[in-house]
Amino acid sequence: MVIYKAKDYQDMSRKAANIISAQIIMKPNCVLGLATGSSPVGTYKQLIEWYKKGDLDFSQVTSVNLDEYKGLSPENDQSYRYFMNTNLFDHVNIDKTRTFVPNGLEADSDKACSVEVHWTHLRCEGSKGSEGSEGSEGSEGKVDSPSGRGLWPPVGGGLCSHRGNDSL
């Protein structure tokens, strides 16, 4: 793990945006695990600025968010889908069919949190979690790749766990 030091929020946001933009430029069809909350807002603003300048192209990017509030529609201003739309997706050329946020209105929590993205499989906590162990709400996980290295660190202690799925 690399720890980056920043002098302030703006510096941290720009450094995070640099890492994300480098990934998009080096691998235009990358899969990004994205966070919600106040911390990434500055990062998303920087990415939008670079997109508007023509420096970034999100058209092939796939994104995954791990959290959503059960019972909230994507149009509810308290939902994570709404947050991602208003803070990033609505301002760049990402294909929203390639943006995965759990469906807060889905009655079946396993179905709401389950999505196949290349070799990664996401499942709700409370069902079988990483390596077949029982998950518990709010516990953390990691995303495993066939190489054994995670693609991104867990964000928050969200409602979904994640595990590698080598059968794809």
Side-chain angles (χ1 to χ4, degrees), residues 81-133:
R81 166 57 80 177
Y82 183 91
F83 175 91
M84 291 307 302
N85 286 345
T86 58
N87 285 285
L88 182 62
F89 300 155
D90 288 345
H91 306 283
V92 298
N93 66 331
I94 196 165
D95 178 354
K96 285 192 185 173
T97 65
R98 296 171 61 100
T99 63
F100 298 95
V101 178
N103 180 355
L105 296 178
E106 175 59 54
D108 179 348
S109 293
D110 279 342
K111 185 176 178 185
C113 291
S114 204
V115 63
E116 301 266 343
V117 181
H118 300 286
W119 48 262
T120 303
H121 184 73
L122 306 173
R123 291 184 53 141
C124 280
E125 289 289 344
S127 63
K128 293 291 183 189
S130 181
E131 301 301 319
S133 62

Side-chain angles (χ1 to χ4, degrees), residues 12-128:
M12 182 233 16
S13 297
R14 188 172 180 88
K15 285 178 180 186
N18 276 329
I19 293 166
I20 294 169
S21 65
Q23 181 65 33
I24 294 169
I25 291 166
M26 291 184 333
K27 187 171 185 195
N29 65 340
C30 63
V31 178
L32 300 175
L34 299 175
T36 55
S38 59
S39 296
V41 171
T43 299
Y44 297 156
K45 286 180 180 178
Q46 183 64 66
L47 291 170
I48 292 165
E49 181 181 324
W50 289 336
Y51 165 76
K52 288 181 177 179
K53 286 181 174 180
D55 295 334
L56 285 175
D57 177 12
F58 289 81
S59 64
Q60 297 179 55
V61 170
T62 298
S63 73
V64 178
N65 287 76
L66 301 180
D67 301 312
E68 184 54 283
Y69 289 107
K70 190 165 181 83
L72 293 187
S73 73
E75 296 79 25
N76 185 303
D77 68 358
Q78 297 299 303
S79 79
Y80 290 130
R81 166 57 80 177
Y82 183 91
F83 175 91
M84 291 307 302
N85 286 345
T86 58
N87 285 285
L88 182 62
F89 300 155
D90 288 345
H91 306 283
V92 298
N93 66 331
I94 196 165
D95 178 354
K96 285 192 185 173
T97 65
R98 296 171 61 100
T99 63
F100 298 95
V101 178
N103 180 355
L105 296 178
E106 175 59 54
D108 179 348
S109 293
D110 279 342
K111 185 176 178 185
C113 291
S114 204
V115 63
E116 301 266 343
V117 181
H118 300 286
W119 48 262
T120 303
H121 184 73
L122 306 173
R123 291 184 53 141
C124 280
E125 289 289 344
S127 63
K128 293 291 183 189

